[in-house]
Amino acid sequence: TDRPVNTSGCGPSERDTDGDGVNDEPDDCENTPLGHPVDGAGCPIPQLLSPAVGAVLDNGCILFDDEIVWDFDWADVPGAGRYHLIVSHPNDIGPLVSHDNLGESAFRFPSGGYIPDDFQFGWMWKVRAHIGTVWSEFSPTRSFDLEPPDFDCMIDTDGDGLPDSHDNCPTVSNPLILDPDTKQYYQADA
């Protein structure tokens, strides 16, 4: 077969036009910017920005709804039309977040409630990019941890375990009582 060669006499399987370390044949992502890390198919791998390795992210409050907000950010990948973000914990059945149609290189995860102590440490996140018709490999996995539940919850002036904003008497201690029949908590009158 007739295969085009460059001025040095190299065919597509012997040359690396974009200088990414993967020869043109089988480079699935031609024209990768010089110096950008690529996978084995020559496609750029997203570079994770934040949260940083070992970061400690927000957790919620046990007794009242306090929105948990996690922000994920990675460098733009040249030519990427969308991204796939996975956020998971090894003790969970599946990923907490798995979005494969993100149009920008950032994602905010808001959630109500709180994450229990068993899931405080060892969270992981990674991203891959869709370039042309192919997905790149995932970025290296990065870990993060969470604050303990109630770490930054509202003030409890009387120390009864209930934030002032939800306490029927914030200056007199009257803790929550568990109703054994309904399994619901209520606050006794002070």
Side-chain angles (χ1 to χ4, degrees):
T1 58
D2 207 14
R3 295 176 25 167
V5 295
N6 64 11
T7 57
S8 301
C10 296
S13 65
E14 303 165 314
R15 65 177 178 249
D16 178 13
T17 305
D18 58 9
D20 63 5
V22 177
N23 289 343
D24 292 355
E25 226 174 66
D27 196 332
D28 287 338
C29 299
E30 298 173 0
N31 304 316
T32 302
L34 194 59
H36 198 100
V38 297
D39 61 21
C43 294
I45 299 172
Q47 301 299 295
L48 306 182
L49 300 176
S50 66
V53 174
V56 178
L57 302 187
D58 186 37
N59 200 344
C61 299
I62 295 172
L63 298 178
F64 66 97
D65 193 25
D66 173 43
E67 186 172 67
I68 297 169
V69 177
W70 298 346
D71 288 312
F72 299 91
D73 191 21
W74 53 94
D76 289 337
V77 171
R82 60 187 167 130
Y83 298 95
H84 183 187
L85 168 68
I86 292 182
V87 179
S88 62
H89 190 277
N91 292 344
D92 212 346
I93 295 171
L96 179 64
V97 175
S98 180
H99 291 296
D100 67 358
N101 202 22
L102 300 174
E104 54 187 55
S105 58
F107 179 75
R108 172 167 274 192
F109 173 73
S111 176
Y114 70 97
I115 307 292
D117 288 335
D118 293 352
F119 293 85
Q120 184 178 351
F121 302 104
W123 286 87
M124 297 171 283
W125 71 289
K126 61 185 177 179
V127 178
R128 65 181 176 165
H130 192 263
I131 305 150
T133 60
V134 297
W135 283 103
S136 71
E137 290 178 12
F138 276 100
S139 64
T141 300
R142 185 174 282 181
S143 65
F144 65 92
D145 296 326
L146 302 181
E147 301 169 336
D150 293 330
F151 182 78
D152 56 3
C153 296
M154 296 185 177
I155 298 170
D156 177 16
T157 303
D158 58 16
D160 62 6
L162 196 63
D164 289 356
S165 63
H166 290 69
D167 196 331
N168 66 1
C169 192
T171 59
V172 176
S173 181
N174 55 340
L176 292 176
I177 299 168
L178 176 63
D179 182 315
D181 297 322
T182 65
K183 304 293 187 223
Q184 298 291 317
Y185 284 95
Y186 67 94
Q187 191 172 19
D189 292 329

